[in-house]
Amino acid sequence: MGTHTCMGYPGTTLDKIDIDAQTFASWGVDYLKFDGCSSNSVEQIIGYPLMSKALNATGRPMAYSCSWPVYVGGLPPNVNYTFLGDICHLWRNYYDIQDSWDSVLGIVEWFSNNQDDLQPAAGPGRWNDPDMLIIGNFGLSVDQARSQMALWAIMAAPLIMSNDLRNLDNSARTILQNKMAIAINQDPMGIQGRRLLQSHIEVYWRPLSQSASALVFLSRRTDMPYLYHSSLGKLSYDAGNYEAYDVFTGATVTGLNATTEFTFSINPSGVVMWYVYPKKASKQTKMLRKTSKLTWQKTVPRNRIVL
C-alpha cells in the first residue's frame, strides 16, 4: 500500500486499489499480501478494507494477507481483531522473520507472551501469521527446523515456505512434508494452541478435532540433551486412557493415562511432538494417518498456497 512496496517497487495508492485488484485477478493470482511500508495510519484505515472489497468484487477467490496489525503494535486496543477477521484471511502481527534460530525464538516468545489476546482472534478463515518457515535455508539445524515446523503447527500458522526448492536437502524436505505435522496444522477446528509451561523445557498444547490434541515439548537448553519426566495429568489432561503418536519418529506410545509417568530425551533447541488421542479412537487415528495423503491431495489443489 502506498507509492512504493517495501523493496522500493511501485506500490498501490488508494485510487489504484480497484484496478490493481482487477489486474491481479486477470493474472490468475491466488494470494495477495498487502504490506504497508510506504503508507500512513490514515491510508491503512481506508486501504485495507477497500482492498478486501475490491478483491471480492473481482469474483476470483484470492487469499488476502494484511500487514496492518504490525504497523500499530500488533495488539488490542490498537488492533480490532474481530473487524480484521471480517476483511482479511490472515495478518502479520509481528516483525519479519530472519534466517536464524534467535529470530524464531523471538517470534514464538512474543506470540506466547501475548497469547491471551492473539489466540482468540484465530479460527477458520482468519489466522495469525508469525511469518514464513525458514526450514531449508541456512540458519537452522535439523532439530531447530523440526522445532519451527512443530511450533507453527501448534499456532495454526500459515505454512509458507521461503526456501529455494532447487536446493532442498532431504532432511528439510522430510520435515516440510511431514503428513502428521501438516494435518495438525490444518485441523478443521482451527483453534490456535497455547504455551502451557515456561521453563528450560516449554510445553505447548493445541486442541484438535475428534477429542485429540497436540503437545510440543521444546528444549530451550543449548548444552546437551535433556531427559524430561512428566505425565498427562500434570498437563491438565482428564482421567482416561490415551495413546500418543510421535510426529517426527513415527512411534506410538501406548498405555498412557493421566497419571502415567513418561520419560524421553529432547535435544538442545529441539522438540518432541505428540499427537494425543483417547485410546478408543486409536483405530480412527490410524486410519487418519493412512489417509492423510489422499485427503490432502483431494482437497487442496497442488498449485495453491494453503492457509
Side-chain angles (χ1 to χ4, degrees):
M1 188 188 306
T3 56
H4 295 84
T5 70
C6 294
M7 294 302 291
Y9 296 102
T12 296
T13 52
L14 296 181
D15 60 317
K16 297 296 193 296
I17 283 179
D18 284 334
I19 193 171
D20 281 4
Q22 292 290 340
T23 303
F24 296 146
S26 72
W27 289 345
V29 167
D30 295 315
Y31 178 104
L32 174 67
K33 177 175 182 285
F34 206 24
D35 216 315
C37 293
S38 299
S39 63
N40 59 45
S41 59
V42 174
E43 291 170 326
Q44 291 162 12
I45 290 172
I46 298 170
Y48 280 107
L50 199 60
M51 179 59 84
S52 177
K53 182 179 179 181
L55 292 174
N56 286 335
T58 69
R60 178 180 180 79
M62 283 183 266
Y64 180 36
S65 171
C66 302
S67 292
W68 192 2
V70 72
Y71 289 104
V72 291
L75 297 170
N78 292 341
V79 181
N80 182 340
Y81 279 110
T82 300
F83 174 66
L84 202 64
D86 291 337
I87 64 170
C88 309
H89 296 111
L90 66 157
W91 44 79
R92 284 288 309 285
N93 319 67
Y94 193 59
Y95 302 124
D96 292 348
I97 197 169
Q98 307 299 319
D99 191 13
S100 74
W101 178 237
D102 285 344
S103 179
V104 172
L105 283 182
I107 290 169
V108 171
E109 189 71 13
W110 186 83
F111 273 84
S112 298
N113 289 342
N114 296 291
Q115 62 187 9
D116 289 344
D117 289 317
L118 299 173
Q119 191 262 355
R126 46 205 301 156
W127 310 105
N128 294 307
D129 181 6
D131 209 358
M132 301 176 291
L133 297 170
I134 56 172
I135 300 163
N137 290 322
F138 305 97
L140 301 184
S141 69
V142 173
D143 278 307
Q144 291 165 351
R146 291 192 189 103
S147 295
Q148 192 192 15
M149 188 72 176
L151 291 165
W152 262 233
I154 285 288
M155 289 193 288
L159 300 180
I160 303 175
M161 296 184 294
S162 62
N163 53 289
D164 186 341
L165 292 173
R166 299 167 298 180
N167 301 303
L168 186 63
D169 64 38
N170 288 334
S171 62
R173 184 188 305 274
T174 298
I175 294 166
L176 290 167
Q177 292 183 327
N178 186 295
K179 295 180 181 64
M180 185 54 78
I182 293 171
I184 290 169
N185 173 265
Q186 299 283 305
D187 184 79
M189 285 175 57
I191 299 175
Q192 182 172 322
R194 301 175 62 88
R195 182 170 64 190
L196 295 183
L197 298 175
Q198 184 178 11
S199 184
H200 60 283
I201 302 297
E202 297 186 343
V203 182
Y204 296 80
W205 170 82
R206 180 181 174 187
L208 303 172
S209 54
Q210 300 178 4
S211 301
S213 59
L215 285 169
V216 167
F217 306 88
L218 169 69
S219 175
R220 297 296 293 263
R221 298 177 68 101
T222 59
D223 52 355
M224 63 183 67
Y226 183 80
L227 209 57
Y228 182 75
H229 308 272
S230 190
S231 69
L232 294 180
K234 293 177 182 177
L235 303 176
S236 300
Y237 277 72
D238 294 331
N241 296 314
Y242 298 88
E243 290 185 353
Y245 177 78
D246 190 307
V247 172
F248 292 113
T249 69
T252 299
V253 182
T254 61
L256 290 173
N257 59 46
T259 60
T260 305
E261 293 286 331
F262 54 77
T263 301
F264 48 69
S265 179
I266 313 176
N267 288 342
S269 65
V271 293
V272 168
M273 185 178 192
W274 279 5
Y275 176 81
V276 183
Y277 49 93
K279 178 68 163 59
K280 62 182 180 181
S282 59
K283 291 183 180 179
Q284 190 173 25
T285 302
K286 291 176 183 176
M287 184 62 68
L288 170 65
R289 294 204 298 267
K290 290 180 180 178
T291 61
S292 60
K293 181 178 181 181
L294 179 62
T295 303
W296 184 258
Q297 291 175 337
K298 283 184 176 180
T299 59
V300 182
R302 285 184 174 271
N303 63 334
R304 298 293 177 88
I305 292 173
V306 181
L307 304 178

